[in-house]
Amino acid sequence: PKETSFPAYMDMLINQKKRKRQDIFQKADLPQKYGYKLLTGEAHTKDRDKLLRIFIAMGMTLKETQRALTLYGFAPLYAKNKRDIVFIIALNKGISSVDTVNEWLTENGEEELSRSAY
C-alpha cells in the first residue's frame, strides 16, 4: 500500500473526528493561517511542539500521534524521554487540553509546549 502523506492523514483524521480546523487551531493556540499551512504541508516546522499542540487539541490517540509524527518526519514519542512520557500519558488519557498538558509538563519539571512564533 502507498504511504499516506501527512496532509492526507490529517485530513482523514479531522473528517473522522468531525472537527473543524478553525476550532482545532484555537484549542491548539496556534494562528489559523499557520495551522492551515502546517496541515497542508505548505509550511514545515522543525518544532515538534507545534504539531503536538494540534494533535492534543484534536484529541488524537497515541497511535494516531505516533503515525502523524512519523509521516511528518519526526521521531515518534519515546517512552524513555521524560518529557515525551507526559505526552504519552496525556494522549492515552484522552486529554485534549493544551493547558492541562502544559501544567503536567511544568509539574514534572519539563518545558511547556513552545508557543507559535506567529
Side-chain angles (χ1 to χ4, degrees):
K2 194 176 132 334
E3 252 316 275
T4 316
S5 67
F6 175 78
Y9 184 65
M10 293 306 292
D11 271 352
M12 183 199 75
L13 287 179
I14 290 167
N15 291 332
Q16 260 180 10
K17 295 177 186 294
K18 297 180 175 32
R19 298 285 161 92
K20 288 196 173 80
R21 284 170 176 72
Q22 212 176 328
D23 301 339
I24 295 166
F25 303 140
Q26 203 171 350
K27 271 189 83 172
D29 196 19
L30 282 175
Q32 275 191 41
K33 222 187 239 172
Y34 184 59
Y36 277 107
K37 285 183 175 176
L38 283 178
L39 290 186
T40 58
E42 198 185 317
H44 198 85
T45 182
K46 292 199 180 340
D47 183 359
R48 193 174 72 158
D49 281 10
K50 294 197 177 44
L51 294 180
L52 286 169
R53 280 177 172 274
I54 292 173
F55 302 163
I56 291 162
M58 273 178 67
M60 282 168 63
T61 64
L62 177 59
K63 194 176 169 192
E64 290 165 348
T65 298
Q66 298 293 49
R67 175 132 168 79
L69 284 170
T70 308
L71 286 173
Y72 198 83
F74 281 119
L77 295 169
Y78 184 56
K80 288 198 164 80
N81 174 314
K82 193 175 166 208
R83 190 164 184 263
D84 281 3
I85 289 170
V86 175
F87 298 124
I88 292 169
I89 293 169
L91 292 162
N92 279 334
K93 285 188 181 287
I95 304 291
S96 63
S97 159
V98 171
D99 291 341
T100 302
V101 174
N102 275 335
E103 282 167 28
W104 288 8
L105 286 166
T106 305
E107 284 164 17
N108 285 282
E110 296 296 317
E111 249 178 77
E112 288 192 357
L113 283 158
S114 64
R115 299 189 77 81
S116 178
Y118 288 78

PDB file of all heavy atoms in Angstrom, residues 7-15 18-28 30-32 35-37 39-40 54 57-58:
ATOM      1  N   PRO A   7      -0.400  15.482   5.126  1.00  0.00           N
ATOM      2  CA  PRO A   7      -1.643  16.241   4.937  1.00  0.00           C
ATOM      3  C   PRO A   7      -2.865  15.334   4.727  1.00  0.00           C
ATOM      4  O   PRO A   7      -3.935  15.597   5.280  1.00  0.00           O
ATOM      5  CB  PRO A   7      -1.365  17.093   3.693  1.00  0.00           C
ATOM      6  CG  PRO A   7       0.118  17.232   3.663  1.00  0.00           C
ATOM      7  CD  PRO A   7       0.645  15.923   4.196  1.00  0.00           C
ATOM      8  N   ALA A   8      -2.707  14.261   3.956  1.00  0.00           N
ATOM      9  CA  ALA A   8      -3.819  13.344   3.690  1.00  0.00           C
ATOM     10  C   ALA A   8      -4.256  12.635   4.970  1.00  0.00           C
ATOM     11  O   ALA A   8      -5.448  12.480   5.232  1.00  0.00           O
ATOM     12  CB  ALA A   8      -3.419  12.328   2.627  1.00  0.00           C
ATOM     13  N   TYR A   9      -3.271  12.236   5.769  1.00  0.00           N
ATOM     14  CA  TYR A   9      -3.567  11.544   7.028  1.00  0.00           C
ATOM     15  C   TYR A   9      -4.330  12.473   7.979  1.00  0.00           C
ATOM     16  O   TYR A   9      -5.330  12.086   8.582  1.00  0.00           O
ATOM     17  CB  TYR A   9      -2.262  11.048   7.670  1.00  0.00           C
ATOM     18  CG  TYR A   9      -2.474  10.243   8.922  1.00  0.00           C
ATOM     19  CD1 TYR A   9      -3.128   9.013   8.886  1.00  0.00           C
ATOM     20  CD2 TYR A   9      -2.014  10.701  10.158  1.00  0.00           C
ATOM     21  CE1 TYR A   9      -3.325   8.257  10.033  1.00  0.00           C
ATOM     22  CE2 TYR A   9      -2.209   9.953  11.311  1.00  0.00           C
ATOM     23  CZ  TYR A   9      -2.864   8.734  11.243  1.00  0.00           C
ATOM     24  OH  TYR A   9      -3.055   7.995  12.395  1.00  0.00           O
ATOM     25  N   MET A  10      -3.870  13.710   8.083  1.00  0.00           N
ATOM     26  CA  MET A  10      -4.513  14.665   8.983  1.00  0.00           C
ATOM     27  C   MET A  10      -5.929  14.987   8.504  1.00  0.00           C
ATOM     28  O   MET A  10      -6.854  15.083   9.303  1.00  0.00           O
ATOM     29  CB  MET A  10      -3.670  15.940   9.101  1.00  0.00           C
ATOM     30  CG  MET A  10      -2.329  15.729   9.790  1.00  0.00           C
ATOM     31  SD  MET A  10      -2.438  14.947  11.420  1.00  0.00           S
ATOM     32  CE  MET A  10      -3.239  16.252  12.366  1.00  0.00           C
ATOM     33  N   ASP A  11      -6.101  15.141   7.187  1.00  0.00           N
ATOM     34  CA  ASP A  11      -7.438  15.371   6.611  1.00  0.00           C
ATOM     35  C   ASP A  11      -8.381  14.255   7.011  1.00  0.00           C
ATOM     36  O   ASP A  11      -9.507  14.498   7.430  1.00  0.00           O
ATOM     37  CB  ASP A  11      -7.361  15.395   5.076  1.00  0.00           C
ATOM     38  CG  ASP A  11      -7.093  16.784   4.537  1.00  0.00           C
ATOM     39  OD1 ASP A  11      -7.115  17.741   5.331  1.00  0.00           O
ATOM     40  OD2 ASP A  11      -6.860  16.894   3.322  1.00  0.00           O
ATOM     41  N   MET A  12      -7.909  13.021   6.857  1.00  0.00           N
ATOM     42  CA  MET A  12      -8.708  11.858   7.172  1.00  0.00           C
ATOM     43  C   MET A  12      -9.131  11.884   8.650  1.00  0.00           C
ATOM     44  O   MET A  12     -10.296  11.689   8.976  1.00  0.00           O
ATOM     45  CB  MET A  12      -7.918  10.587   6.868  1.00  0.00           C
ATOM     46  CG  MET A  12      -8.697   9.314   7.098  1.00  0.00           C
ATOM     47  SD  MET A  12      -7.576   7.886   7.259  1.00  0.00           S
ATOM     48  CE  MET A  12      -6.911   8.152   8.909  1.00  0.00           C
ATOM     49  N   LEU A  13      -8.173  12.161   9.536  1.00  0.00           N
ATOM     50  CA  LEU A  13      -8.464  12.196  10.976  1.00  0.00           C
ATOM     51  C   LEU A  13      -9.447  13.308  11.333  1.00  0.00           C
ATOM     52  O   LEU A  13     -10.360  13.104  12.125  1.00  0.00           O
ATOM     53  CB  LEU A  13      -7.177  12.373  11.786  1.00  0.00           C
ATOM     54  CG  LEU A  13      -6.245  11.174  11.889  1.00  0.00           C
ATOM     55  CD1 LEU A  13      -5.014  11.541  12.705  1.00  0.00           C
ATOM     56  CD2 LEU A  13      -6.949   9.978  12.516  1.00  0.00           C
ATOM     57  N   ILE A  14      -9.236  14.480  10.743  1.00  0.00           N
ATOM     58  CA  ILE A  14     -10.107  15.624  11.039  1.00  0.00           C
ATOM     59  C   ILE A  14     -11.544  15.288  10.614  1.00  0.00           C
ATOM     60  O   ILE A  14     -12.494  15.559  11.348  1.00  0.00           O
ATOM     61  CB  ILE A  14      -9.584  16.914  10.352  1.00  0.00           C
ATOM     62  CG1 ILE A  14      -8.285  17.366  11.047  1.00  0.00           C
ATOM     63  CG2 ILE A  14     -10.635  18.030  10.406  1.00  0.00           C
ATOM     64  CD1 ILE A  14      -7.495  18.422  10.309  1.00  0.00           C
ATOM     65  N   ASN A  15     -11.672  14.647   9.462  1.00  0.00           N
ATOM     66  CA  ASN A  15     -13.007  14.243   8.989  1.00  0.00           C
ATOM     67  C   ASN A  15     -13.598  13.163   9.880  1.00  0.00           C
ATOM     68  O   ASN A  15     -14.768  13.233  10.254  1.00  0.00           O
ATOM     69  CB  ASN A  15     -12.939  13.756   7.536  1.00  0.00           C
ATOM     70  CG  ASN A  15     -12.639  14.906   6.591  1.00  0.00           C
ATOM     71  OD1 ASN A  15     -12.963  16.052   6.868  1.00  0.00           O
ATOM     72  ND2 ASN A  15     -11.999  14.595   5.481  1.00  0.00           N
ATOM     73  N   LYS A  18     -14.741  14.525  12.978  1.00  0.00           N
ATOM     74  CA  LYS A  18     -15.718  15.598  12.740  1.00  0.00           C
ATOM     75  C   LYS A  18     -15.322  16.893  13.435  1.00  0.00           C
ATOM     76  O   LYS A  18     -16.116  17.519  14.137  1.00  0.00           O
ATOM     77  CB  LYS A  18     -17.124  15.152  13.172  1.00  0.00           C
ATOM     78  CG  LYS A  18     -17.634  13.968  12.368  1.00  0.00           C
ATOM     79  CD  LYS A  18     -19.019  13.565  12.820  1.00  0.00           C
ATOM     80  CE  LYS A  18     -19.646  12.462  11.990  1.00  0.00           C
ATOM     81  NZ  LYS A  18     -18.769  11.457  11.412  1.00  0.00           N
ATOM     82  N   ARG A  19     -14.077  17.276  13.229  1.00  0.00           N
ATOM     83  CA  ARG A  19     -13.573  18.517  13.825  1.00  0.00           C
ATOM     84  C   ARG A  19     -13.492  19.609  12.766  1.00  0.00           C
ATOM     85  O   ARG A  19     -13.363  19.316  11.585  1.00  0.00           O
ATOM     86  CB  ARG A  19     -12.154  18.299  14.395  1.00  0.00           C
ATOM     87  CG  ARG A  19     -12.087  17.282  15.506  1.00  0.00           C
ATOM     88  CD  ARG A  19     -12.641  17.871  16.798  1.00  0.00           C
ATOM     89  NE  ARG A  19     -13.012  16.852  17.742  1.00  0.00           N
ATOM     90  CZ  ARG A  19     -12.203  16.378  18.676  1.00  0.00           C
ATOM     91  NH1 ARG A  19     -10.978  16.815  18.778  1.00  0.00           N
ATOM     92  NH2 ARG A  19     -12.637  15.466  19.525  1.00  0.00           N
ATOM     93  N   LYS A  20     -13.528  20.848  13.230  1.00  0.00           N
ATOM     94  CA  LYS A  20     -13.316  21.985  12.339  1.00  0.00           C
ATOM     95  C   LYS A  20     -11.891  22.473  12.567  1.00  0.00           C
ATOM     96  O   LYS A  20     -11.487  22.675  13.705  1.00  0.00           O
ATOM     97  CB  LYS A  20     -14.305  23.107  12.665  1.00  0.00           C
ATOM     98  CG  LYS A  20     -15.725  22.810  12.243  1.00  0.00           C
ATOM     99  CD  LYS A  20     -16.529  24.113  12.254  1.00  0.00           C
ATOM    100  CE  LYS A  20     -17.911  23.912  11.687  1.00  0.00           C
ATOM    101  NZ  LYS A  20     -18.821  23.302  12.689  1.00  0.00           N
ATOM    102  N   ARG A  21     -11.189  22.704  11.478  1.00  0.00           N
ATOM    103  CA  ARG A  21      -9.796  23.164  11.594  1.00  0.00           C
ATOM    104  C   ARG A  21      -9.699  24.418  12.458  1.00  0.00           C
ATOM    105  O   ARG A  21      -8.822  24.528  13.297  1.00  0.00           O
ATOM    106  CB  ARG A  21      -9.201  23.422  10.206  1.00  0.00           C
ATOM    107  CG  ARG A  21      -8.846  22.145   9.486  1.00  0.00           C
ATOM    108  CD  ARG A  21      -8.498  22.393   8.032  1.00  0.00           C
ATOM    109  NE  ARG A  21      -8.077  21.165   7.384  1.00  0.00           N
ATOM    110  CZ  ARG A  21      -8.885  20.164   7.062  1.00  0.00           C
ATOM    111  NH1 ARG A  21     -10.172  20.248   7.349  1.00  0.00           N
ATOM    112  NH2 ARG A  21      -8.419  19.075   6.468  1.00  0.00           N
ATOM    113  N   GLN A  22     -10.630  25.344  12.224  1.00  0.00           N
ATOM    114  CA  GLN A  22     -10.669  26.590  12.983  1.00  0.00           C
ATOM    115  C   GLN A  22     -10.656  26.322  14.492  1.00  0.00           C
ATOM    116  O   GLN A  22      -9.898  26.945  15.233  1.00  0.00           O
ATOM    117  CB  GLN A  22     -11.984  27.262  12.634  1.00  0.00           C
ATOM    118  CG  GLN A  22     -12.008  28.737  12.640  1.00  0.00           C
ATOM    119  CD  GLN A  22     -13.387  29.202  12.153  1.00  0.00           C
ATOM    120  OE1 GLN A  22     -14.020  28.542  11.322  1.00  0.00           O
ATOM    121  NE2 GLN A  22     -13.863  30.297  12.684  1.00  0.00           N
ATOM    122  N   ASP A  23     -11.509  25.394  14.923  1.00  0.00           N
ATOM    123  CA  ASP A  23     -11.612  25.067  16.348  1.00  0.00           C
ATOM    124  C   ASP A  23     -10.336  24.406  16.852  1.00  0.00           C
ATOM    125  O   ASP A  23      -9.892  24.664  17.975  1.00  0.00           O
ATOM    126  CB  ASP A  23     -12.798  24.127  16.607  1.00  0.00           C
ATOM    127  CG  ASP A  23     -14.124  24.735  16.158  1.00  0.00           C
ATOM    128  OD1 ASP A  23     -14.204  25.972  16.032  1.00  0.00           O
ATOM    129  OD2 ASP A  23     -15.081  23.960  15.925  1.00  0.00           O
ATOM    130  N   ILE A  24      -9.773  23.557  16.011  1.00  0.00           N
ATOM    131  CA  ILE A  24      -8.538  22.858  16.400  1.00  0.00           C
ATOM    132  C   ILE A  24      -7.438  23.883  16.664  1.00  0.00           C
ATOM    133  O   ILE A  24      -6.766  23.839  17.687  1.00  0.00           O
ATOM    134  CB  ILE A  24      -8.088  21.872  15.296  1.00  0.00           C
ATOM    135  CG1 ILE A  24      -9.120  20.746  15.137  1.00  0.00           C
ATOM    136  CG2 ILE A  24      -6.700  21.309  15.608  1.00  0.00           C
ATOM    137  CD1 ILE A  24      -8.942  19.917  13.872  1.00  0.00           C
ATOM    138  N   PHE A  25      -7.256  24.816  15.725  1.00  0.00           N
ATOM    139  CA  PHE A  25      -6.173  25.800  15.880  1.00  0.00           C
ATOM    140  C   PHE A  25      -6.406  26.699  17.081  1.00  0.00           C
ATOM    141  O   PHE A  25      -5.477  27.089  17.771  1.00  0.00           O
ATOM    142  CB  PHE A  25      -5.987  26.636  14.597  1.00  0.00           C
ATOM    143  CG  PHE A  25      -5.720  25.793  13.384  1.00  0.00           C
ATOM    144  CD1 PHE A  25      -6.295  26.094  12.166  1.00  0.00           C
ATOM    145  CD2 PHE A  25      -4.899  24.675  13.462  1.00  0.00           C
ATOM    146  CE1 PHE A  25      -6.063  25.309  11.044  1.00  0.00           C
ATOM    147  CE2 PHE A  25      -4.660  23.877  12.349  1.00  0.00           C
ATOM    148  CZ  PHE A  25      -5.244  24.196  11.129  1.00  0.00           C
ATOM    149  N   GLN A  26      -7.665  27.009  17.346  1.00  0.00           N
ATOM    150  CA  GLN A  26      -7.999  27.826  18.509  1.00  0.00           C
ATOM    151  C   GLN A  26      -7.606  27.067  19.783  1.00  0.00           C
ATOM    152  O   GLN A  26      -6.946  27.619  20.661  1.00  0.00           O
ATOM    153  CB  GLN A  26      -9.494  28.125  18.506  1.00  0.00           C
ATOM    154  CG  GLN A  26      -9.830  29.356  19.283  1.00  0.00           C
ATOM    155  CD  GLN A  26     -11.294  29.746  19.079  1.00  0.00           C
ATOM    156  OE1 GLN A  26     -11.999  29.207  18.216  1.00  0.00           O
ATOM    157  NE2 GLN A  26     -11.760  30.690  19.864  1.00  0.00           N
ATOM    158  N   LYS A  27      -8.012  25.796  19.854  1.00  0.00           N
ATOM    159  CA  LYS A  27      -7.678  24.975  21.017  1.00  0.00           C
ATOM    160  C   LYS A  27      -6.183  24.767  21.144  1.00  0.00           C
ATOM    161  O   LYS A  27      -5.649  24.660  22.236  1.00  0.00           O
ATOM    162  CB  LYS A  27      -8.346  23.594  20.899  1.00  0.00           C
ATOM    163  CG  LYS A  27      -9.730  23.523  21.484  1.00  0.00           C
ATOM    164  CD  LYS A  27     -10.230  22.094  21.539  1.00  0.00           C
ATOM    165  CE  LYS A  27      -9.720  21.373  22.773  1.00  0.00           C
ATOM    166  NZ  LYS A  27     -10.339  20.047  22.948  1.00  0.00           N
ATOM    167  N   ALA A  28      -5.507  24.682  19.999  1.00  0.00           N
ATOM    168  CA  ALA A  28      -4.067  24.445  19.991  1.00  0.00           C
ATOM    169  C   ALA A  28      -3.298  25.732  20.286  1.00  0.00           C
ATOM    170  O   ALA A  28      -2.095  25.702  20.505  1.00  0.00           O
ATOM    171  CB  ALA A  28      -3.632  23.886  18.638  1.00  0.00           C
ATOM    172  N   LEU A  30      -2.767  28.172  18.165  1.00  0.00           N
ATOM    173  CA  LEU A  30      -1.909  28.454  17.007  1.00  0.00           C
ATOM    174  C   LEU A  30      -2.678  29.374  16.066  1.00  0.00           C
ATOM    175  O   LEU A  30      -3.882  29.213  15.910  1.00  0.00           O
ATOM    176  CB  LEU A  30      -1.598  27.166  16.234  1.00  0.00           C
ATOM    177  CG  LEU A  30      -0.554  26.218  16.770  1.00  0.00           C
ATOM    178  CD1 LEU A  30      -0.508  24.967  15.890  1.00  0.00           C
ATOM    179  CD2 LEU A  30       0.818  26.850  16.833  1.00  0.00           C
ATOM    180  N   PRO A  31      -1.979  30.304  15.430  1.00  0.00           N
ATOM    181  CA  PRO A  31      -2.661  31.157  14.451  1.00  0.00           C
ATOM    182  C   PRO A  31      -3.235  30.285  13.336  1.00  0.00           C
ATOM    183  O   PRO A  31      -2.572  29.369  12.865  1.00  0.00           O
ATOM    184  CB  PRO A  31      -1.551  32.050  13.922  1.00  0.00           C
ATOM    185  CG  PRO A  31      -0.458  31.973  14.931  1.00  0.00           C
ATOM    186  CD  PRO A  31      -0.565  30.632  15.568  1.00  0.00           C
ATOM    187  N   GLN A  32      -4.459  30.591  12.921  1.00  0.00           N
ATOM    188  CA  GLN A  32      -5.126  29.785  11.907  1.00  0.00           C
ATOM    189  C   GLN A  32      -4.329  29.642  10.627  1.00  0.00           C
ATOM    190  O   GLN A  32      -4.172  28.545  10.106  1.00  0.00           O
ATOM    191  CB  GLN A  32      -6.486  30.383  11.590  1.00  0.00           C
ATOM    192  CG  GLN A  32      -7.526  29.897  12.553  1.00  0.00           C
ATOM    193  CD  GLN A  32      -8.917  30.275  12.095  1.00  0.00           C
ATOM    194  OE1 GLN A  32      -9.232  30.194  10.924  1.00  0.00           O
ATOM    195  NE2 GLN A  32      -9.728  30.694  13.038  1.00  0.00           N
ATOM    196  N   GLY A  35      -1.561  27.315  11.143  1.00  0.00           N
ATOM    197  CA  GLY A  35      -2.087  25.963  11.343  1.00  0.00           C
ATOM    198  C   GLY A  35      -2.460  25.307  10.026  1.00  0.00           C
ATOM    199  O   GLY A  35      -2.109  24.165   9.759  1.00  0.00           O
ATOM    200  N   TYR A  36      -3.165  26.069   9.183  1.00  0.00           N
ATOM    201  CA  TYR A  36      -3.552  25.555   7.866  1.00  0.00           C
ATOM    202  C   TYR A  36      -2.317  25.179   7.063  1.00  0.00           C
ATOM    203  O   TYR A  36      -2.270  24.123   6.436  1.00  0.00           O
ATOM    204  CB  TYR A  36      -4.356  26.600   7.076  1.00  0.00           C
ATOM    205  CG  TYR A  36      -5.816  26.633   7.433  1.00  0.00           C
ATOM    206  CD1 TYR A  36      -6.344  27.678   8.179  1.00  0.00           C
ATOM    207  CD2 TYR A  36      -6.677  25.615   7.022  1.00  0.00           C
ATOM    208  CE1 TYR A  36      -7.691  27.722   8.513  1.00  0.00           C
ATOM    209  CE2 TYR A  36      -8.032  25.646   7.349  1.00  0.00           C
ATOM    210  CZ  TYR A  36      -8.530  26.698   8.099  1.00  0.00           C
ATOM    211  OH  TYR A  36      -9.863  26.734   8.427  1.00  0.00           O
ATOM    212  N   LYS A  37      -1.330  26.053   7.084  1.00  0.00           N
ATOM    213  CA  LYS A  37      -0.103  25.801   6.314  1.00  0.00           C
ATOM    214  C   LYS A  37       0.617  24.546   6.799  1.00  0.00           C
ATOM    215  O   LYS A  37       1.146  23.786   5.995  1.00  0.00           O
ATOM    216  CB  LYS A  37       0.834  27.011   6.368  1.00  0.00           C
ATOM    217  CG  LYS A  37       0.356  28.152   5.502  1.00  0.00           C
ATOM    218  CD  LYS A  37       1.334  29.304   5.527  1.00  0.00           C
ATOM    219  CE  LYS A  37       0.906  30.394   4.552  1.00  0.00           C
ATOM    220  NZ  LYS A  37       1.787  31.550   4.618  1.00  0.00           N
ATOM    221  N   LEU A  39      -0.809  21.935   8.216  1.00  0.00           N
ATOM    222  CA  LEU A  39      -1.593  20.754   7.861  1.00  0.00           C
ATOM    223  C   LEU A  39      -1.592  20.463   6.362  1.00  0.00           C
ATOM    224  O   LEU A  39      -1.771  19.323   5.959  1.00  0.00           O
ATOM    225  CB  LEU A  39      -3.032  20.876   8.380  1.00  0.00           C
ATOM    226  CG  LEU A  39      -3.211  20.792   9.894  1.00  0.00           C
ATOM    227  CD1 LEU A  39      -4.684  20.767  10.254  1.00  0.00           C
ATOM    228  CD2 LEU A  39      -2.511  19.569  10.487  1.00  0.00           C
ATOM    229  N   THR A  40      -1.406  21.490   5.540  1.00  0.00           N
ATOM    230  CA  THR A  40      -1.385  21.254   4.098  1.00  0.00           C
ATOM    231  C   THR A  40       0.027  20.949   3.608  1.00  0.00           C
ATOM    232  O   THR A  40       0.215  20.553   2.466  1.00  0.00           O
ATOM    233  CB  THR A  40      -1.887  22.487   3.309  1.00  0.00           C
ATOM    234  OG1 THR A  40      -1.056  23.604   3.665  1.00  0.00           O
ATOM    235  CG2 THR A  40      -3.333  22.795   3.609  1.00  0.00           C
ATOM    236  N   ILE A  54      -1.447  20.657  17.992  1.00  0.00           N
ATOM    237  CA  ILE A  54      -2.565  20.314  17.103  1.00  0.00           C
ATOM    238  C   ILE A  54      -3.106  18.927  17.449  1.00  0.00           C
ATOM    239  O   ILE A  54      -4.309  18.727  17.563  1.00  0.00           O
ATOM    240  CB  ILE A  54      -2.125  20.383  15.617  1.00  0.00           C
ATOM    241  CG1 ILE A  54      -1.827  21.840  15.219  1.00  0.00           C
ATOM    242  CG2 ILE A  54      -3.204  19.771  14.697  1.00  0.00           C
ATOM    243  CD1 ILE A  54      -1.218  22.015  13.833  1.00  0.00           C
ATOM    244  N   ALA A  57      -5.011  19.049  20.706  1.00  0.00           N
ATOM    245  CA  ALA A  57      -6.268  19.783  20.513  1.00  0.00           C
ATOM    246  C   ALA A  57      -7.294  18.950  19.746  1.00  0.00           C
ATOM    247  O   ALA A  57      -8.494  19.095  19.946  1.00  0.00           O
ATOM    248  CB  ALA A  57      -6.003  21.102  19.792  1.00  0.00           C
ATOM    249  N   MET A  58      -6.809  18.080  18.875  1.00  0.00           N
ATOM    250  CA  MET A  58      -7.706  17.228  18.083  1.00  0.00           C
ATOM    251  C   MET A  58      -8.195  16.017  18.864  1.00  0.00           C
ATOM    252  O   MET A  58      -9.070  15.297  18.412  1.00  0.00           O
ATOM    253  CB  MET A  58      -6.976  16.713  16.847  1.00  0.00           C
ATOM    254  CG  MET A  58      -7.056  17.644  15.673  1.00  0.00           C
ATOM    255  SD  MET A  58      -6.111  17.004  14.270  1.00  0.00           S
ATOM    256  CE  MET A  58      -7.045  15.540  13.810  1.00  0.00           C
TER     257      MET A  58
END
